[in-house]
């Protein structure tokens, strides 16, 4: 499964890692964070990292193909 990460903006922003759990279309994406094991939408995942007022959350999420993860 592809891994993902995002960093929240602002003074309380943190880097959160996870993996794509379901990704059929851009509107049907589910991300599971590795810190809590909870499932998030892309917007929820960015908010989990401390991001606020994110209009296009997919632009703030970095995807790492499974081939690059050890």
């Amino acid at each position: 499964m592809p891994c993902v990460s995002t960093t929240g903006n602002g003074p309380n922003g943190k880097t959160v890692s996870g993996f794509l759990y379901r990704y059929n279309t851009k509107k049907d994406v589910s991300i599971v964070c590795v810190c809590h094991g909870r499932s998030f939408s892309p917007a929820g995942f960015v908010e989990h990292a401390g991001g606020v007022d994110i209009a296009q959350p997919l632009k703030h999420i970095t995807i790492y193909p499974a081939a690059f993860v050890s």
Side-chain angles (χ1 to χ4, degrees):
M1 283 187 201
C3 292
V4 296
S5 71
T6 188
T7 302
N9 54 0
N12 295 325
K14 58 187 175 190
T15 299
V16 175
S17 298
F19 59 92
L20 289 177
Y21 179 69
R22 178 177 45 192
Y23 47 97
N24 293 334
T25 65
K26 285 186 178 183
K27 293 184 180 184
D28 188 27
V29 175
S30 181
I31 300 170
V32 176
C33 74
V34 295
C35 51
H36 297 105
R38 291 186 52 206
S39 180
F40 292 97
S41 67
F45 186 66
V46 174
E47 288 175 10
H48 183 56
V52 292
D53 296 328
I54 304 298
Q56 296 178 329
L58 292 176
K59 289 188 175 186
H60 297 275
I61 297 173
T62 304
I63 300 173
Y64 301 101
F68 294 112
V69 179
S70 56

